[in-house]
Amino acid sequence: MLLPAESAKLIADNSKYVTIKSEGILKLSEEIFQNLKSGNINDFVYGDDDLHPTSKDETAVDWIFVIDTLNFCFWSLKNTKKWTVKGYTGYYALTAAVRRAIQEGYDITNPKFYASITEDQLKQILRSDDDDNQVPLLSTRVKCLHEVGKVLLEKYDGTFKKCIESANKSAISLLNIIVQDFPCFRDEAMFDNQKVVFYKRAQILISDLWSCYDGKSWGDFHDIEKLTMFADYRVPQALVHFGVMEYSRELSEKLEREILQNGCREEMEIRGCSIHAIEIVNESVKKLISNDVNCGLKDDSINSALIDYFLWLYRRKYADELQNIPFHKVYCQYY
């Protein structure tokens, strides 16, 4: 099975519009190392808000599966209203909407319900604080729910737990199961006549389980370090900010004026170089850890998923400072 890390290296080695910069790698590695030593990088978003379930919640696995089935395309154009739920935007708006739906009596984590959910029902569940605004790609989200719901009912006794059991505690085996059995997670493309894969949503689904269950129970994967970052449209902003990546003038200007097509060369270079850059940062941070015998950290203190999380939160925290860095805009179901 071709993995995202291999695809990313292929893309980075042949990139025309995106350059990975060694100075930025060192800068970001040191930033992450210092945050690790001070305890500012935690296991993920779970447990520090009231939007996410905890490992004590029996529905957590199927809740995470539904969330990551719908976890894509939340960006908005400049000077347009954002889709918001309970005051939250983006991914957090999605979690708030699902939490609200459960409180309102929708059986949203049950594939018996969402395998035949109507567009009107999902529109109501994902309704915005502003009645005139709605989440992008609503009909695509309905199709995704229908697809995954039917597979769970027909093959996995109506629960994603059966998929996890089939993977025998291997993140890579579970990744393979997800992309084989649920086509809407099959984030693939052709780059210079070679197949490449990114698997953003499939990987974040596995990482969310690992994080929610603190690497135990349904989140126990012996090879979690083999996951890469989750190639989206926001983390690259942080990578450009730290000088890890640099866009050509042609690409920067194009990002300012155009919406890209999923699978175009520019989009694949941004996503592929993001993955490869964080793989390099991951190894760089591990070296910093091994060279500082008194830091109290081990190699497994960091992985690409945690670096992704750090950068994703950094971009949200410093959104105003990073707003002038262009990000690629794509309407698709993969991120």
Side-chain angles (χ1 to χ4, degrees):
M1 176 185 176
L2 186 66
L3 294 176
E6 300 164 347
S7 295
K9 187 177 187 308
L10 170 67
I11 293 170
D13 287 346
N14 295 278
S15 179
K16 298 178 181 178
Y17 303 105
V18 184
T19 304
I20 296 174
K21 311 287 283 187
S22 58
E23 317 92 84
I25 294 288
L26 294 174
K27 179 181 178 182
L28 179 57
S29 299
E30 185 63 36
E31 178 83 12
I32 291 170
F33 180 55
Q34 294 302 325
N35 275 271
L36 274 173
K37 288 202 295 184
S38 60
N40 291 335
I41 296 182
N42 297 314
D43 272 351
F44 216 66
V45 8
Y46 295 95
D48 59 357
D49 58 53
D50 59 359
L51 297 176
H52 296 82
T54 69
S55 58
K56 296 178 182 178
D57 185 340
E58 292 184 0
T59 68
V61 167
D62 290 310
W63 186 99
I64 290 169
F65 181 71
V66 167
I67 285 290
D68 286 324
T69 296
L70 298 172
N71 184 10
F72 59 87
C73 198
F74 301 122
W75 60 269
S76 55
L77 295 169
K78 284 185 178 179
N79 303 317
T80 61
K81 290 183 178 180
K82 295 181 179 180
W83 173 66
T84 62
V85 179
K86 302 286 187 179
Y88 295 99
T89 61
Y91 166 79
Y92 286 117
L94 174 64
T95 60
V98 170
R99 175 68 67 189
R100 178 182 62 191
I102 292 171
Q103 293 170 347
E104 293 175 349
Y106 289 98
D107 199 8
I108 188 61
T109 65
N110 187 343
K112 291 181 180 178
F113 170 69
Y114 61 74
S116 58
I117 194 171
T118 67
E119 188 163 316
D120 284 342
Q121 286 174 318
L122 189 60
K123 183 177 181 180
Q124 176 65 15
I125 287 170
L126 300 181
R127 68 188 183 277
S128 176
D129 296 334
D130 179 357
D131 291 337
D132 295 328
N133 200 8
Q134 86 175 21
V135 67
L137 301 181
L138 180 65
S139 61
T140 302
R141 297 177 198 275
V142 173
K143 291 177 182 177
C144 289
L145 287 175
H146 287 174
E147 174 192 289
V148 302
K150 290 174 182 176
V151 173
L152 286 181
L153 292 172
E154 293 172 1
K155 193 171 181 178
Y156 292 106
D157 296 337
T159 176
F160 190 65
K161 290 178 179 178
K162 291 294 184 180
C163 295
I164 300 172
E165 289 175 345
S166 299
N168 294 317
K169 298 186 178 182
S170 167
I172 297 304
S173 292
L174 184 56
L175 179 63
N176 191 36
I177 290 169
I178 293 168
V179 298
Q180 290 297 320
D181 287 353
F182 305 98
C184 69
F185 283 87
R186 206 174 293 158
D187 182 9
E188 305 171 348
M190 296 296 295
F191 183 86
D192 286 349
N193 297 315
Q194 297 185 65
K195 178 183 174 182
V196 290
V197 304
F198 303 95
Y199 298 153
K200 185 267 185 182
R201 282 172 43 231
Q203 291 196 100
I204 206 169
L205 167 56
I206 298 166
S207 183
D208 282 353
L209 291 164
W210 172 70
S211 303
C212 178
Y213 289 91
D214 195 25
K216 302 171 184 175
S217 181
W218 298 108
D220 182 5
F221 303 109
H222 62 76
D223 54 355
I224 194 69
E225 75 283 351
K226 291 185 179 179
L227 297 186
T228 68
M229 64 84 74
F230 319 121
D232 69 348
Y233 50 89
R234 286 301 196 180
V235 170
Q237 278 186 299
L239 291 174
V240 172
H241 169 75
F242 278 102
V244 173
M245 296 198 316
E246 183 177 85
Y247 297 158
S248 69
R249 178 181 295 182
E250 179 184 353
L251 177 56
S252 294
E253 292 175 351
K254 190 169 188 175
L255 296 181
E256 291 283 7
R257 68 174 186 266
E258 294 183 25
I259 296 174
L260 301 184
Q261 292 295 313
N262 178 230
C264 74
R265 186 181 188 96
E266 294 91 339
E267 181 220 29
M268 288 190 289
E269 286 194 13
I270 293 170
R271 299 183 78 201
C273 287
S274 296
I275 293 172
H276 190 57
I278 289 183
E279 291 297 289
I280 298 172
V281 170
N282 186 25
E283 291 305 312
S284 179
V285 175
K286 290 182 186 298
K287 288 181 181 178
L288 291 173
I289 291 172
S290 64
N291 290 338
D292 187 342
V293 294
N294 298 316
C295 69
L297 300 170
K298 299 179 180 179
D299 272 1
D300 60 3
S301 299
I302 195 65
N303 58 44
S304 294
L306 288 176
I307 295 172
D308 181 285
Y309 175 51
F310 170 78
L311 291 171
W312 187 78
L313 279 185
Y314 185 96
R315 205 290 310 174
R316 289 185 68 92
K317 183 177 181 180
Y318 299 103
D320 290 342
E321 294 180 29
L322 275 64
Q323 66 177 342
N324 292 325
I325 298 175
F327 68 91
H328 66 289
K329 306 167 189 70
V330 178
Y331 285 117
C332 75
Q333 68 188 29
Y334 300 117
Y335 63 98

